[in-house]
Every structure is written in structure tokens, then in C-alpha cells.
């Protein structure tokens, strides 16, 4: 199996999986889904795959789809984003959305906006000119997906999650260029 990170043909040296028998997702999709992570024996990169109804193997996006954080981003925000990525690779999409939201909030705190709910922090950063219109919209988008994952017990699909993580990383990088 070619690694999505380095191209090396590798075998799975570790695997984390969830099986959705009887879950809401399986009911909606009318199929059972096994999601897992292959770890490359060459570079250690992770490749997510999905197996549907015992066949129909699909490889999900790897490194090229995830936005990386700038080295100047504070360590605690970096750690939260790394946890979000680990949750993504483990197919724990709601947890990943929550950690992406936490990364954004921590970045705003470190940038000087410690008071209020995340919505208020974003609004204040916009008011003070720290966030432009684009970053303001991205921050609220990431916040709303994170809120859905934490407070509303909504399923978060891969497309919404990747958009929310990219938004959180983009805004965080803007705060710490």
C-alpha cells in the first residue's frame, strides 16, 4: 500500500479503528463502516482508510489536506491542534472538531483576548483590527462546527471537519505569523 506521506510501499504497523454497526451513520449510509489508520513503516505517516460493508476500500486524504501551524504558534495551541489531527486520523471527527475549536480559542487567549466566550473573543479581535473579514468568517465557521460537536451531539462528516480544522489553523497562523 503506498504511503500518502512519503510514497513508500508499506504495511500496517499499527491500527486504530471504529466500527459503526448499528450506529446513526450506518443507518443513514445503509452500510457498515470500518475506519482505521495505517501507520507507514518507512516514515511513520498515517493514512486513513474506510472499508464499507466488508469491501469498497477507500483511502482518505493524507497530509496534503491538513493545514500545518506556523512554528511561532504557542505550544499549547500547537498541542491542541496536534490532538485534533490525531482524532481526525482516528476517525473521531466530533473530538477533532472540538480540539480544533479549542486550538483557536487558546490562540486568541494568547494573543490578548482572554475574556468571554469564544464568540466574544472573535468579535473583539475583529473590532480591534487583529482579524480581517476573511479571518473573522473563518473563525466563526470553525467555532460553530466545534460547538455542534460539543454541545449539540451532531455528527460531523469529514468535509465539515476538514473545513473547520483548516479554518482554525488559518486563523491561528494569522494570529502568529
Amino acid at each position: 500500500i503506498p504511503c500518502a506521506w512519503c510514497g513508500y510501499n508499506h504495511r500496517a504497523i499499527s491500527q486504530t479503528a471504529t466500527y459503526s454497526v448499528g450506529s446513526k451513520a450506518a443507518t443513514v449510509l445503509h452500510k457498515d463502516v470500518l475506519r482505521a489508520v495505517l501507520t507507514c513503516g518507512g516514515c511513520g505517516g498515517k493514512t486513513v482508510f474506510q472499508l464499507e460493508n466488508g469491501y469498497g476500500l477507500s483511502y482518505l486524504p493524507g497530509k496534503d489536506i491538513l493545514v500545518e501551524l506556523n512554528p511561532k504558534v504557542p505550544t499549547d495551541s500547537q498541542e491542541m491542534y496536534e490532538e485534533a489531527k490525531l482524532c481526525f486520523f482516528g476517525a473521531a471527527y466530533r473530538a477533532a472538531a472540538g480540539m480544533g475549536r479549542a486550538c483557536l480559542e487558546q490562540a486568541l487567549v494568547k494573543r490578548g483576548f482572554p475574556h468571554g466566550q469564544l464568540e466574544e473573543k472573535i468579535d473583539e479581535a475583529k473590532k480591534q483590527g487583529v482579524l480581517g473579514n476573511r479571518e473573522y468568517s473563518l473563525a466563526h465557521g470553525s467555532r460553530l462546527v466545534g460547538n455542534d460537536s460539543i454541545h449539540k451531539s451532531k455528527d460531523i462528516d469529514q468535509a465539515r471537519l476538514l473545513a473547520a480544522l483548516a479554518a482554525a489553523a488559518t486563523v491561528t497562523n494569522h494570529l502568529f505569523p
Side-chain angles (χ1 to χ4, degrees):
I1 299 168
C3 174
W5 296 74
C6 70
Y8 175 78
N9 283 331
H10 64 85
R11 62 181 175 79
I13 58 172
S14 66
Q15 176 175 314
T16 304
T18 59
Y19 193 63
S20 60
V21 171
S23 72
K24 183 179 176 184
T27 303
V28 170
L29 296 172
H30 305 293
K31 57 189 161 192
D32 292 323
V33 177
L34 171 71
R35 289 185 180 138
V37 179
L38 299 176
T39 303
C40 177
C43 72
K46 300 189 179 352
T47 302
V48 178
F49 74 89
Q50 180 170 298
L51 182 67
E52 299 173 358
N53 288 335
Y55 60 92
L57 187 64
S58 301
Y59 291 91
L60 304 177
K63 71 172 181 176
D64 294 335
I65 198 134
L66 295 172
V67 175
E68 295 299 322
L69 293 180
N70 294 332
K72 293 181 182 178
V73 170
T75 304
D76 46 1
S77 292
Q78 287 184 17
E79 289 172 356
M80 288 178 189
Y81 189 70
E82 288 302 312
E83 283 191 44
K85 289 180 3 183
L86 287 173
C87 291
F88 165 74
F89 285 121
Y93 296 162
R94 286 180 52 210
M99 291 307 298
R101 180 193 184 283
C103 166
L104 173 61
E105 185 160 19
Q106 187 60 36
L108 284 163
V109 167
K110 291 291 187 176
R111 191 61 162 72
F113 302 96
H115 304 293
Q117 301 291 328
L118 178 55
E119 181 176 12
E120 297 163 331
K121 291 176 174 86
I122 294 167
D123 290 347
E124 186 60 29
K126 169 74 165 99
K127 181 179 170 184
Q128 291 186 24
V130 173
L131 297 179
N133 290 334
R134 177 176 177 263
E135 294 81 20
Y136 178 76
S137 294
L138 289 171
H140 276 301
S142 182
R143 175 186 67 81
L144 291 170
V145 173
N147 284 356
D148 283 352
S149 73
I150 296 168
H151 301 300
K152 296 184 180 173
S153 298
K154 290 186 178 180
D155 286 335
I156 305 295
D157 64 25
Q158 187 183 47
R160 277 184 76 205
L161 171 62
L162 289 171
L165 290 178
T170 299
V171 174
T172 299
N173 284 339
H174 174 79
L175 293 169
F176 299 95

